[in-house]
Amino acid sequence: MASAPIILVPGFWLGGWAWDDVAARLRADGHEVTALTLPGLEPADADRAAVSLADHIDAICDAVQAAGRPVLLAVHSGAGVPGYAATDRLPGLIAAMVYVDSGPATGALDAGFDGVEQPLPTDDFAGLSPEQLAVFRERAVPEPGAALREAPPRPANDARLDVPSTVICTSMTSAQIKAGVADGVPWLAGLADLRDVTYLDLPTSHWPMWTRPADLAALLGDLAHRAAAH
């Protein structure tokens, strides 16, 4: 069955390795998968002071263009900011957009953050096993400060509004996400404008690539097949 290439973008503190289990399952099912590590998230000693939000947007757009045909772009958590910006820049090359416990933020996630980088917090890891948390703490690197304080470019291409978009709701229910959209929650702001949005509930933690990898891979694989069929 035809399938759109799948690009997986992790959220804060994570590299492409965070998707290893999901990516392996997708590849075993015949999907073409790229798991990105955004600039500044490579080694622990990367120069994060020089990394901008534009660098993250460029990296995602480069991966989309390198695929050679329209892709399914899946972004997790804080990667919703550069991911949504990519749909504005390259709407014709994104066959489907997936926000994994994330959303199309239209502004900075923390405009007042003034540090060079944000270290991994010490809490808020509900749902992870002790073993998973140990790996997370060992491999995570600080997030470049620009990813928090910089606002993405103002959307200018209305074609982004017609990119089929799916929100996979994991730490919050779809009802809670929809209520957040209605209330104008900033990190969900773009959902109010999109013309083709589907909400899927996958109850678990904020880290479904570790807590429910088989189910997440199945959802992404199905969406990639649907994207190729359109």
Side-chain angles (χ1 to χ4, degrees):
M1 185 183 299
S3 173
I6 299 172
I7 297 176
L8 304 172
V9 187
F12 285 3
W13 312 295
L14 303 171
W17 57 269
W19 293 100
D20 282 353
D21 198 347
V22 171
R25 294 171 187 272
L26 288 168
R27 291 183 181 118
D29 286 338
H31 296 280
E32 178 184 337
V33 181
T34 300
L36 286 187
T37 296
L38 294 175
L41 278 299
E42 308 95 342
D45 58 354
D47 180 10
R48 281 172 282 279
V51 175
S52 67
L53 178 60
D55 293 325
H56 284 190
I57 298 170
D58 288 345
I60 294 173
C61 289
D62 288 347
V64 169
Q65 292 174 307
R69 53 196 172 99
V71 306
L72 180 144
L73 176 60
V75 295
H76 169 247
S77 191
V81 176
Y84 185 46
T87 69
D88 187 63
R89 189 183 299 180
L90 302 171
L93 294 182
I94 301 175
M97 187 72 188
V98 182
Y99 296 96
V100 181
D101 218 39
S102 181
T106 57
L109 294 178
D110 185 355
F113 184 81
D114 60 2
V116 170
E117 58 190 31
Q118 184 186 64
L120 183 70
T122 57
D123 55 8
D124 197 23
F125 299 109
L128 296 186
S129 69
E131 293 77 17
Q132 289 169 332
L133 182 55
V135 172
F136 193 172
R137 292 194 182 284
E138 177 185 355
R139 301 196 65 177
V141 299
E143 184 70 21
L148 287 86
R149 67 174 162 267
E150 292 185 1
R154 184 180 297 275
N157 190 342
D158 282 354
R160 78 187 184 284
L161 303 177
D162 293 312
V163 174
S165 300
T166 299
V167 183
I168 298 181
C169 311
T170 65
S171 68
M172 299 172 66
T173 66
S174 57
Q176 290 172 318
I177 294 289
K178 291 175 183 178
V181 175
D183 290 341
V185 173
W187 65 272
L188 299 171
L191 290 173
D193 300 322
L194 298 182
R195 293 190 274 255
D196 184 354
V197 184
T198 301
Y199 296 85
L200 299 177
D201 284 292
L202 184 65
T204 184
S205 74
H206 184 57
W207 321 100
M209 64 279 286
W210 297 330
T211 54
R212 294 188 65 177
D215 294 321
L216 181 56
L219 287 177
L220 292 173
D222 181 59
L223 291 169
H225 286 310
R226 294 185 187 185
H230 285 82

